[in-house]
Amino acid sequence: MTKFRVLTIMIFTTILISCNSEKSKNNLDKENLNQKEIESDTLTKHLKPFKSELPTIGLLMYNGVLQSEVIATSDVFAKPTESGKQIFNVITIAETEKPITTEEGIKILPDFTFENCPKLTALFVPSAYDMYAQVHNEKIVNFIKEKNKETEYIVSNCAGAQLIGKSGIADGHKIVTWIGGGEQLQKDYPNLKVQNDSLVTFVEDGKFSSSNGNLASYISALNLLEKMTSSEHKKFVESYLYLDRIQNWKN
């Protein structure tokens, strides 16, 4: 009788442990599933698929690029309408698929290279503190020349004007560069109509527009956004970005 009781207890204990183990496994599986759903939602809800029917905004990048000039444009054009509708493709483009390291040390993986870049509606040309390598890079200069043939708009910010000058695509047009850089830009590219950068922040001439760069890059982006959409959408994006708060801020 004693042996029977011991055997019964052992069987019951085994069943209990098995049930608890299965329950723990089920709970763990549910937790893992929930975690995967959270991770998936965190990623997928921010993805903006490339839609061939939408205008495409291309952001040229290279090592040493000032990230504020890339971010400003993406900030402005990646915003949806008030109803949440995507209205632009915003892509980054570089010479290779390797990550680009900005002046500030942030690494950005380009969406496309010069070889597989899709047709662009607008190309934004940013700057670096030292433009020597970029101006003497024939692949970058030739890319700008080729894209000028298909784009409706070309925008340069800060010393990106040097690449515009080197390419020759805006000869005879007004352009502005970083504050203090206009005199040298005019000497290097006499066919450009370089504006007084101490007085001019932004200038537009035909399909070409330019700014002093850095945070002034928001001006060139917002100006083009309004041309491609409406003043109402521009105001919505400004509000979305809290730019009105910055404009009205006082110390």
Side-chain angles (χ1 to χ4, degrees), residues 4 19 64 74 76 115 159 176 205:
F4 178 76
C19 289
S74 61
V76 169
E115 284 70 32
V176 71
D205 188 356

Side-chain angles (χ1 to χ4, degrees), residues 35-209:
Q35 183 62 32
K36 286 180 180 179
E37 288 177 351
I38 292 172
E39 291 174 355
S40 176
D41 289 343
T42 301
L43 173 63
T44 57
K45 72 179 182 179
H46 298 296
L47 290 177
K48 294 178 176 61
F50 186 92
K51 300 179 180 180
S52 58
E53 71 274 14
L54 296 180
T56 299
I57 310 299
L59 313 181
L60 178 63
M61 298 201 323
Y62 41 77
N63 284 321
V65 70
L66 299 183
Q67 66 189 40
S68 61
E69 297 178 7
V70 176
I71 291 171
T73 306
S74 61
D75 259 352
V76 169
F77 283 93
K79 295 297 180 286
T81 63
E82 286 192 73
S83 62
K85 181 181 178 182
Q86 178 183 344
I87 53 176
F88 293 102
N89 299 310
V90 180
I91 63 172
T92 52
I93 314 150
E95 183 178 344
T96 71
E97 296 177 343
K98 296 179 180 179
I100 292 298
T101 303
T102 69
E103 167 65 30
E104 296 78 9
I106 299 298
K107 289 182 172 56
I108 303 175
L109 190 66
D111 296 312
F112 295 93
T113 66
F114 295 166
E115 284 70 32
N116 64 11
C117 179
K119 183 178 179 180
L120 301 179
T121 308
L123 174 65
F124 279 75
V125 182
S127 71
Y129 286 141
D130 183 358
M131 292 295 294
Y132 182 87
Q134 286 71 44
V135 169
H136 290 84
N137 186 326
E138 290 186 3
K139 290 183 178 180
I140 292 179
V141 176
N142 287 335
F143 174 76
I144 293 172
K145 288 180 180 180
E146 287 302 311
K147 285 303 175 183
N148 181 55
K149 297 175 183 179
E150 69 185 29
T151 54
E152 297 178 29
Y153 308 99
I154 297 282
V155 182
S156 67
N157 291 307
C158 196
Q162 292 184 27
L163 281 169
I164 300 299
K166 182 69 173 181
S167 69
I169 62 174
D171 286 356
H173 291 270
K174 296 177 182 178
I175 195 169
V176 71
T177 186
W178 56 279
I179 300 174
E183 184 176 348
Q184 187 62 50
L185 181 67
Q186 188 68 82
K187 288 180 181 178
D188 293 340
Y189 309 105
N191 291 329
L192 291 175
K193 294 181 178 180
V194 180
Q195 304 300 292
N196 186 343
D197 48 74
S198 65
L199 301 175
V200 178
T201 299
F202 168 81
V203 66
E204 182 179 16
D205 188 356
K207 70 178 288 184
F208 303 101
S209 58

